[in-house]
Amino acid sequence: MRFIPYILYLFLLALYLTILRDITYICGAQIDLAVLMAALVALYKSEMTTFWFAVCIAIISGTPLLDLLPWEMIILVIPALIVNQISARINLESLTSRLILVAGYLLIHQAVLTLIVAGNDFFILLYKSILPTMVYSLVIGWLIFQILDGRITWKKTKALF
Amino acid sequence: MTWFSTIFLKNRRFVNFGLAAILFLLITFSPNVVRPLLGNICSSIFFYPFAELKYYIIELQDASRENRLLEKQLTEASLQLEILSEAKRENQRLREVIGFDPPENFRLIPVKIVTLYQNVYPIAAVINKGSRESIKINQPVINRFGLVGKIKEVMPDFATVTLLTDPMNAVSGRVAETREIGIVRFSPDKGMYFDNLPADSDIEPNHLVISSGLGGVYPAGLSLAIVDSVTASRGDILKTVYLKPTVNFFKIDELYVLTGGEQ
């Protein structure tokens, strides 16, 4: 039964990659949901859970382009394990430290993936795609952390309107 | 099996990493077997349902867009059909008019009703032609069914027609079959009736009443009404004859002014 939430996360990722990515795409920037999910699990769950969840996330996000599957596994699983190890040594109460970890994870994933796919245009894509995607994903990550910390709640949101 | 579970539990971390490493190696070095198999499983379990959903949504959007477009086209087509139907009706009326011969020395000026003055019955109408089109007072106004009335007032571009349904407008009529003469009048309570017809008259229901030509306003022979009922009591001098106008005064639209007869 404890695997069900993770399976639902995988379905959510598939839903995002199939339908929601096109809807949420803004001027070259897209949400790197795979990294966000892997980072969230890495921050709050055990090493083994992080490891297998990152493997599954890598398989799901690598399925549309099977040639990249080994690379996806490397650049999703290894940083996830690093984030998991660091999270045990930092103050997780601090939003900034969590965001820095997520930002680093996002940057590694996006940068390496871009280097593999379009290495020659890396510096152009750095400004056009990598950094906007990182910022966009970080904003979403910040929102998720706010919700997890109870700073954004349904009641508060409703009170605004 | 005990030794296996002991090793697994003691070295759980390494076993997990080892399994993952084997999976990684299989994926990396078996691009034609493991990768497609894994891709196929993932696609069918995770992506296929959402892809179906996506195409369903796209189809719904397309259908909705197409529906709006077709609805617009249908509205345009309906409007076009209405216009064509009206043109067809007008064409039908004009065809019937072509077959209508105006009385000798008269010519027809086609006019359209601008507005009707209506109380219980329509009793007057304003038409869209006036003195500029040679319309004069007392000229007869007809449509394809018969006499409608006469010009009462003339303005440069408009004229007023007093209809036969105006109680003040009486016409000298003749029974086409018996050649008897009387006065066709209209009153709101009785409707159209034939006045001044002697009790020994041979008039019968369904006889046609036409204009007699007496009085000099209307030419002879214009259809006025059909005899609806005839009643005569013993000792009465005159017969009571109720008529049904040949013209439906509630549905008049295109009229013709007869001109030239006065010359």
Side-chain angles (χ1 to χ4, degrees):
Chain A
M1 288 297 281
R2 66 192 179 107
F3 295 114
I4 289 173
Y6 300 106
I7 293 168
L8 290 177
Y9 292 151
L10 296 179
F11 272 108
L12 177 66
L13 179 64
L15 171 69
Y16 170 76
L17 292 173
T18 317
I19 299 172
L20 301 176
R21 186 165 56 181
D22 296 341
I23 301 167
T24 54
Y25 187 86
I26 306 170
C27 304
Q30 51 183 315
I31 304 165
D32 197 342
L33 195 66
V35 170
L36 282 180
M37 281 180 165
L40 280 170
V41 171
L43 282 171
Y44 296 107
K45 300 293 174 183
S46 69
E47 187 187 45
M48 278 306 110
T49 308
T50 303
F51 177 69
W52 283 113
F53 185 68
V55 169
C56 292
I57 287 271
I59 292 170
I60 296 286
S61 55
T63 297
L65 195 59
L66 286 173
D67 287 344
L68 288 181
L69 195 51
W71 287 107
E72 278 283 3
M73 287 187 80
I74 291 169
I75 57 176
L76 274 168
V77 176
I78 294 172
L81 287 172
I82 294 168
V83 169
N84 182 258
Q85 292 299 317
I86 295 171
S87 69
R89 292 168 177 78
I90 60 160
N91 176 22
L92 273 183
E93 296 286 312
S94 166
L95 179 66
T96 317
S97 57
R98 279 178 286 171
L99 283 177
I100 289 169
L101 277 178
V102 175
Y105 194 173
L106 283 165
L107 186 65
I108 290 168
H109 182 247
Q110 285 295 313
V112 176
L113 210 60
T114 309
L115 270 173
I116 296 162
V117 176
N120 295 335
D121 302 322
F122 178 76
F123 289 102
I124 300 166
L125 290 172
L126 182 70
Y127 294 104
K128 282 191 172 175
S129 171
I130 297 171
L131 290 177
T133 296
M134 203 180 111
V135 172
Y136 189 14
S137 304
L138 262 186
V139 171
I140 301 297
W142 176 79
L143 277 172
I144 293 169
F145 285 134
Q146 294 292 321
I147 292 165
L148 288 175
D149 294 347
R151 292 193 187 99
I152 296 176
T153 58
W154 173 243
K155 269 187 181 178
K156 286 178 186 174
T157 315
K158 209 176 162 188
L160 281 173
F161 304 100
Chain B
M1 286 301 283
T2 319
W3 62 271
F4 180 77
S5 56
T6 312
I7 291 169
F8 182 80
L9 288 172
K10 277 186 179 173
N11 304 295
R12 198 175 162 188
R13 195 178 181 201
F14 292 105
V15 170
N16 274 298
F17 285 144
L19 285 172
I22 292 166
L23 180 66
F24 176 76
L25 289 172
L26 281 173
I27 288 169
T28 309
F29 296 107
S30 178
N32 297 326
V33 180
V34 179
R35 253 188 251 177
L37 183 70
L38 207 58
N40 194 39
I41 292 167
C42 278
S43 298
S44 56
I45 294 173
F46 291 101
F47 291 102
Y48 181 73
F50 297 119
E52 283 289 302
L53 180 69
K54 185 183 179 181
Y55 290 121
Y56 181 68
I57 292 167
I58 289 169
E59 270 179 29
L60 275 182
Q61 284 174 336
D62 287 349
S64 171
R65 204 175 301 122
E66 199 175 346
N67 189 32
R68 278 200 296 274
L69 185 72
L70 288 174
E71 208 169 294
K72 192 185 164 205
Q73 284 176 348
L74 183 66
T75 310
E76 284 172 357
S78 299
L79 185 68
Q80 197 72 27
L81 188 66
E82 291 275 326
I83 292 166
L84 288 174
S85 299
E86 181 57 25
K88 189 183 171 188
R89 284 193 292 270
E90 190 177 15
N91 186 31
Q92 186 74 28
R93 285 196 300 271
L94 292 174
R95 276 174 187 277
E96 285 175 24
V97 168
I98 288 167
F100 171 79
D101 290 327
E104 208 175 334
N105 298 328
F106 282 89
R107 64 185 178 89
L108 297 175
I109 300 175
V111 293
K112 282 191 174 174
I113 289 180
V114 177
T115 180
L116 268 178
Y117 180 79
Q118 186 168 336
N119 194 351
V120 181
Y121 287 88
I123 57 171
V126 176
I127 55 172
N128 66 342
K129 284 180 182 167
S131 56
R132 286 189 216 275
E133 302 281 341
S134 308
I135 305 284
K136 291 175 186 165
I137 290 174
N138 281 338
Q139 282 176 334
V141 179
I142 61 165
N143 72 0
R144 64 184 186 276
F145 299 110
L147 185 63
V148 174
K150 65 180 180 183
I151 301 291
K152 192 179 180 188
E153 290 166 12
V154 179
M155 295 158 270
D157 295 308
F158 298 97
T160 309
V161 180
T162 179
L163 306 178
L164 292 186
T165 44
D166 184 348
M168 304 297 287
N169 191 10
V171 184
S172 173
R174 184 192 294 273
V175 182
E177 285 80 3
T178 62
R179 312 307 293 169
E180 290 162 318
I181 293 173
I183 296 170
V184 176
R185 294 183 192 277
F186 188 89
S187 79
D189 58 329
K190 288 187 199 170
M192 192 170 272
Y193 62 98
F194 208 21
D195 205 7
N196 282 358
L197 204 66
D200 58 349
S201 163
D202 297 328
I203 191 165
E204 285 176 12
N206 292 327
H207 279 176
L208 178 68
V209 180
I210 55 173
S211 57
S212 66
L214 301 174
V217 175
Y218 303 106
L222 299 173
S223 297
L224 290 174
I226 304 284
V227 177
D228 194 29
S229 62
V230 181
T231 53
S233 305
R234 187 174 289 180
D236 282 351
I237 304 166
L238 301 172
K239 266 188 174 168
T240 308
V241 180
Y242 293 103
L243 305 175
K244 202 166 87 179
T246 52
V247 174
N248 185 341
F249 290 93
F250 289 97
K251 289 185 179 175
I252 48 175
D253 47 10
E254 282 161 346
L255 304 176
Y256 302 89
V257 179
L258 282 173
T259 62
E262 64 276 8
Q263 289 170 357

